[in-house]
Amino acid sequence: MPDTKRRDFITLLGGAAAAWPLAARAQQPRMPVIGFLNLQSADALTHAVTAFRQGLNETGYVEGRNVAIEYRWADGQGDQLPLLAAELVQRQVAVIAATGGDPTVLAVKRATTTIPTVFTIGGDPVALGLVRSLNRPAGNVTGITQMAVLLDPKRLEVLHELMPGVAVVAVLRNPNNSNAETQVSALEAAARTIGMELRFVTANSEGEINTAFAALAELHIGALMVASDPFFNGRRSQIVALATRLAVPAIFHQREFALDGGLMSYGTSVTDMYRLAATYTGRILNGEKPADLPIQQSTKVELVINLKTAKALGLTFPITLLGRADEVIE
């Protein structure tokens, strides 16, 4: 073979060989991307993110291997949620996990009617207008609810069991909570049943929380209940610190409050809810439609008692409560 033809042949062969890897890469499926949106901060929810990844693993997905996750955190600033939701829509993610309560999923719902969305909330998704029904959501939205507002009266009962002699209990609530009216009426009914008098204080900002606790110091209350609300979850450290300074027994709605030094908590498991949300996210990635996935209710309820805080308050828990506790912090 003449030298010129030999050189042409080698050049052609080399070019073809270089093109093979490019062709192979082009044929590889694109890694799906999940948009993860939350009202709180990353530092406050490391345990929930771990549970979310576990749920994905159960459906065959491992972050960084066959799925990517774009995280967006509002750091407690609810007015940032619409902007962050719009970023995920523009990113054209495959699914949006709208976690951390009603404000998050409402922001996503306004941003898109097409991208599949899985929510975690504490209220009734039908009443919020998120889905048509619990069994047949319709549209692009489904998810997990804790129905947390239903447990608020039970928290009063647990508080009464600890301190049956307390007549006046303060309730910190968010007036902008989507379930505010239901929350108040349910608590008032429970208080009448067990012979308690309630004093409501409200807060919807960091400054208002400080003001509310300053007011509580003047009310001479016997105990405090913090009503379930996504905003309060993001202000957990602040609320626990102020409750400690107030030096009255307090009950919260999430385990994490007790872990941070709160006296006790009674409510559904945050980690269980995030794991369930991830399994729905994985099923959607596998081809199922949100409209065909019924709303699930997270039913794992936890009673957590912090004995270190009880000792600081000079309290002794009755054996009946200690025996029912899912976790005792010593």
Side-chain angles (χ1 to χ4, degrees):
M1 179 182 296
D3 289 344
T4 302
K5 291 185 177 181
R6 184 181 295 111
R7 282 195 299 270
D8 292 343
F9 176 76
I10 292 172
T11 301
L12 177 62
L13 183 61
W20 291 336
L22 294 175
R25 286 196 296 270
Q27 292 172 1
Q28 291 178 355
R30 180 185 174 191
M31 184 183 292
V33 178
I34 298 168
F36 185 100
L37 179 61
N38 195 282
L39 176 62
Q40 298 187 52
S41 66
D43 291 342
L45 282 179
T46 53
H47 59 296
V49 172
T50 298
F52 188 83
R53 290 172 179 147
Q54 177 189 341
L56 286 177
N57 294 349
E58 292 173 14
T59 59
Y61 289 95
V62 178
E63 184 180 8
R65 183 182 301 172
N66 58 356
V67 70
I69 305 179
E70 288 272 349
Y71 296 96
R72 296 292 186 276
W73 302 95
D75 294 327
Q77 306 300 317
D79 58 353
Q80 293 299 305
L81 287 171
L83 175 63
L84 298 174
E87 285 182 9
L88 292 176
V89 171
Q90 187 175 13
R91 177 72 172 77
Q92 296 184 329
V93 296
V95 187
I96 296 178
T99 62
D102 309 347
T104 309
V105 65
L106 289 172
V108 172
K109 187 173 175 62
R110 286 189 288 268
T112 178
T113 58
T114 56
I115 296 177
T117 300
V118 179
F119 59 71
T120 63
I121 62 172
D124 182 350
V126 177
L128 282 172
L130 296 175
V131 297
R132 186 177 300 169
S133 72
L134 298 180
N135 289 331
R136 300 286 294 180
N140 65 313
V141 178
T142 188
I144 318 299
T145 179
Q146 291 181 322
M147 294 294 191
V149 67
L150 300 180
L151 292 176
D152 280 334
K154 182 63 179 177
R155 278 183 274 276
L156 271 187
E157 294 175 18
V158 173
L159 199 55
H160 178 68
E161 189 173 347
L162 171 64
M163 304 188 68
V166 168
V168 181
V169 175
V171 178
L172 175 66
R173 69 181 187 89
N174 183 350
N176 293 341
N177 186 291
S178 57
N179 300 297
E181 292 184 9
T182 303
Q183 203 171 50
V184 170
S185 60
L187 285 169
E188 288 177 335
R192 285 193 296 270
T193 300
I194 57 183
M196 278 183 175
E197 187 177 346
L198 300 182
R199 296 282 189 271
F200 289 98
V201 290
T202 61
N204 189 38
S205 70
E206 182 178 351
E208 288 181 2
I209 291 174
N210 291 329
T211 302
F213 272 90
L216 289 178
E218 304 297 324
L219 290 179
H220 306 293
I221 59 172
L224 168 68
M225 190 194 98
V226 176
S228 56
D229 186 83
F231 170 70
F232 294 154
N233 299 344
R235 298 295 175 189
R236 186 172 70 234
S237 297
Q238 179 190 8
I239 291 172
V240 169
L242 289 169
T244 301
R245 192 181 308 164
L246 192 63
V248 297
I251 187 167
F252 305 90
H253 59 286
Q254 285 186 353
R255 169 180 178 266
E256 290 71 22
F257 282 85
L259 292 180
D260 280 1
L263 177 64
M264 59 179 171
S265 66
Y266 182 82
T268 47
S269 167
V270 172
T271 54
D272 184 60
M273 182 170 63
Y274 277 73
R275 184 189 62 80
L276 290 173
T279 61
Y280 261 14
T281 301
R283 288 174 64 177
I284 290 170
L285 290 177
N286 285 331
E288 296 189 59
K289 298 182 183 301
D292 298 329
L293 296 174
I295 304 303
Q296 289 193 62
Q297 184 171 350
S298 178
T299 57
K300 183 180 179 181
V301 178
E302 304 171 317
L303 172 62
V304 181
I305 293 172
N306 190 319
L307 288 183
K308 183 178 178 181
T309 302
K311 183 178 180 180
L313 291 169
L315 291 175
T316 301
F317 272 85
I319 297 298
T320 53
L321 270 179
L322 286 174
R324 296 206 311 273
D326 297 275
E327 185 175 356
V328 176
I329 301 167
E330 299 185 77

